Amino acid sequence: MKNLLGGKGANLAEMCNIGVPVPPGFTLSTEVCSAYYDNNRNYPEGLKSEVEAAIAKTEEVLGKKFGDPTNPLLLSVRSGSRASMPGMMDTVLNLGINEEITEGLAKLSGNPRFAWDSYRRFVQMYGDVVLDLKPVNKEDHDPFELILEAKKEEKGVELDTELSAEDLKEIVAEFKAEIKKVTGHDFPDDPMEQLWGAVGSVFGSWMNDRAIYYRRLNGIPSEWGTAVNIQAMVYGNMGDDCATGVAFTRDPANGEKIFYGEYLINAQGEDVVAGVRTPQPVNDSTKSDPSHATLQELMPKPYQDLVDIYLKLEKHYKDMQDIEFTIQKGKLWMLQTRNGKRTAEAAVRIAVEMEKEGLIDKNTAIKRVEAESLDQLLHPMFDPNADKNVIATGLPASPGAATGKIVFHAEDAEVWVEKGEDVLLVRTETSPEDIGGMHVAKGILTARGGMTSHAAVVARGMGTCCVAGCGAIEIDLKKKTMTVDGKVLKEGDWLSLDGSKGEVIEGKVPTIDPELSGDFGILMGWADEVRHLNVRTNADTPHDAEVARNFGAEGIGLCRTEHMFFEGDRIKAVREMILADDEAGRRKALTKLLPYQRDDFYGIFKVMHDLPVTVRTLDPPLHEFLPHDDANQQVMADEMGITLEEVKAKVESLSEFNPMLGHRGCRLGITYPEITEMQARAIIEAACDLTKEGINVLPEIMIPLIGTKAELVDQKKVVVSTAEKVMEEKGVKVNYLVGTMIEIPRAALTAHEVAEEADFFSFGTNDLTQMTFGYSRDDAGPFLKEYTSKGILSDDPFQTLDQSGVGQLVEIGVQRGRQTKPDLKIGICGEHGGDPRSVEFCHKVGLNYVSCSPYRVPIARLAAAQAQLNNPV
Ligand code: ADP
Ligand code: MG
Ligand code: MG
């Protein structure tokens, strides 16, 4: 139903079906939109008569007539695509009205102010949306808002509810004059003409820049199209027994089970979201300011109806709902429901609590949380013990901690981030035009707007930290400053935001690592029960190993030894080794490195006791360890007691045209076996020492970049003979494995041969991607961007595994490897090991584990569980 009617239309229909009061209406399906675009922006045949028939039916239900001044039916025209795209496309309310009808409506309702307010709103929305008067640039003012503001000033009132029918009538005339001035045409009076104008505009908005940007951001195909919902109006602007509002059935920021909403008396539609007036809380329990009046207090009966309906909707959809409602003369109408957007924190809590309430089962709970979104919970938080100067407090609209430089314009945010700055976007309020800047900002701060304001909703959807409605700040866009309590902060000043507490903090605040406790821990436990894949981590230091282990890593899938070569004095020994002219010279330098490496492994093995640790022997080309500028080459020459020329000559001799395909990986160990020997000795010595201390160590030595079985045979011989020797010296036995990375296409193709020598395989999908595509990973950035934006590639293959190409090599490697050794242990240690889609692929091809960076371990655990639920084995 959703595909055809769009999310909004489908849910309106479903609410009708379960007996929730919804104003009558009908939906033009997404197929009409597709036909419209396929047919050069022309409507399909027969649409007109079908629409007329549907209007007739709506008229019959309500006993009103579209275009009839004595008893007019007014309509709302609303867009709605399959996936919800908040604020992306525009709604027109009170359609089917003109002066004559307004007079009729005034008479009928006995409320001229309401009638003229409705007409005023219609002319404004129609002018903005359909006739395109809405300014494109944020700096330009909406001409209608200017007229409205001027009129309020002239009449000496602050709120638009204080304007009289006469005032509104004048405003309408001024609006129309403005439209005539800009477009050269009279404002359309004919209701049918208005309707088709609005329908065309909804379809047209599917292809506006904002919508296109949002689709690209969220991977929504443009073929889906939008539906158009045409619905009878209900009026929240008929007086003080009327209202309009939005609510969440649970708190979308932290997931707490409280009904949470905001509303405005005597208002319509977008007033709540747009921040025209400050909305009030719906219920008493969420009221924080005693001067506020809740719906519960003022309209107990419709409030109770609202509570009954939200409970019914949550039970029906079995998920947290985001609802929109209007009260017309004490009668409640529902205008929208959908599964509410939420932060990762809220998603986890809601999933776990709904399982406990018996609303959903564990497997559904696991599937409810988007694995990638956990990223939000895994980033450092502000250290609660740090000194911080809280300069203002707003609403905790979207949790997280963010530090960045202040910018006041969304476009500036994009420019600054492009230059590598961290920014916080500070605005009075945000609007859909700001979406690009909001996306790149580390955090968002607004002076106005509530928990359901545009900034709050979009920030939660993006997982960006947001403090909204911080009334204490005053923004001067011209001077690019914000003032709090007399303190002036300029563009570019550092500021921090705590989105969980709503705090605005001066300067930078130190951070600490998060923990997997509470509901997060419970959900992870459920995921662990379900998943088949093991999850390891890529870690090179005891600290990283510990972080990963706390996040649930079940081993190390890749420990890179080269990073250890750079620290402190070691680099000197490394350079000495590289400079040596013969084996004896190299051995002398390697002897200096041995104790360092042994200590490194000792530390890592100790943290990872009882879990496997895969250590890769030296991989990068040697020139990476040499200095490349004169000054540093001179330092090196002085240290080594040789001339600058000699250093330059060595650097020169090691330089390669194509280092990534040059002398690296096992090729180094084959040329200089003493390097592999030293590394094997360091690994096994550390393992023996720990074994003696009673600590269980499971080292797995991994040879990189082999393309033939013979390369592995060569290196394995060095490792095994060294290990035997060390164990004899130390007088203990350790169980160790020798395996290889599969990262050269030839190794995957000959996996059945390689497996004869390997105890395990680990797919190095970074190099495998590089070599399969023939893209240099270090040079591909600029053109890959172009490739993805032109649709030549759907994703960056270095981020998401290319399943149809590179994936085939993985499959072949698995299948041929296990042809030789049915129980061969196989993992993946490329960047892809933490990418949910790639994790699903790894599950499907039967890998034993994925390995990813420490902070992505929980993401991989959840993704592995979801992979099993979607593809049970
Ligand atoms: P969006 O997708 O931006 O939320 P909607 O189509 O939901 O846009 O419309 C925005 C608001 O307009 C609604 O929240 C509601 O308050 C108001 N609205 C829409 N349809 C009607 C209607 N039939 N009667 C009264 N108000 C309506
Ligand atoms: Mg809506
Ligand atoms: Mg590699």
Side-chain angles (χ1 to χ4, degrees), residues 8 78 324 336 338:
K8 201 178 287 168
R78 321 167 65 185
E324 300 178 1
Q336 193 171 329
R338 61 180 169 214

Side-chain angles (χ1 to χ4, degrees), residues 444-593:
I444 298 160
L445 170 64
T446 65
R448 264 200 269 163
M451 291 293 281
T452 52
S453 64
H454 180 265
V457 172
V458 173
R460 282 196 294 273
M462 291 174 170
T464 301
C465 157
C466 174
V467 175
C470 184
I473 63 169
E474 231 170 88
I475 296 169
D476 187 330
L477 282 181
K478 284 232 173 64
K479 287 196 204 140
K480 298 198 177 176
T481 59
M482 60 179 259
T483 311
V484 193
D485 241 354
K487 183 190 279 290
V488 180
L489 295 170
K490 303 182 304 300
E491 179 182 66
D493 285 349
W494 285 97
L495 192 71
S496 298
L497 298 177
D498 186 329
S500 317
K501 294 193 182 142
E503 289 176 346
V504 182
I505 306 156
E506 199 180 1
K508 300 186 198 181
V509 182
T511 54
I512 54 166
D513 281 333
E515 275 173 23
L516 299 193
S517 53
D519 293 329
F520 194 4
I522 292 171
L523 187 76
M524 282 292 126
W526 293 345
D528 291 347
E529 281 168 29
V530 167
R531 70 187 159 92
H532 279 223
L533 274 175
N534 283 321
V535 176
R536 296 195 190 182
T537 190
N538 298 349
D540 312 333
T541 64
H543 173 260
D544 283 0
E546 198 167 338
V547 169
R549 193 165 187 158
N550 288 337
F551 281 155
E554 297 163 304
I556 289 181
L558 176 62
C559 173
R560 299 175 172 92
T561 51
E562 55 269 19
H563 294 174
M564 303 169 176
F565 281 15
F566 280 103
E567 259 170 59
D569 278 351
R570 305 164 184 206
I571 188 69
K572 281 188 209 161
V574 173
R575 287 171 178 171
E576 189 184 324
M577 172 193 82
I578 295 172
L579 281 181
D581 293 326
D582 53 15
E583 190 188 322
R586 276 190 298 277
R587 281 192 182 277
K588 199 171 138 226
L590 285 165
T591 312
K592 293 185 192 165
L593 277 173

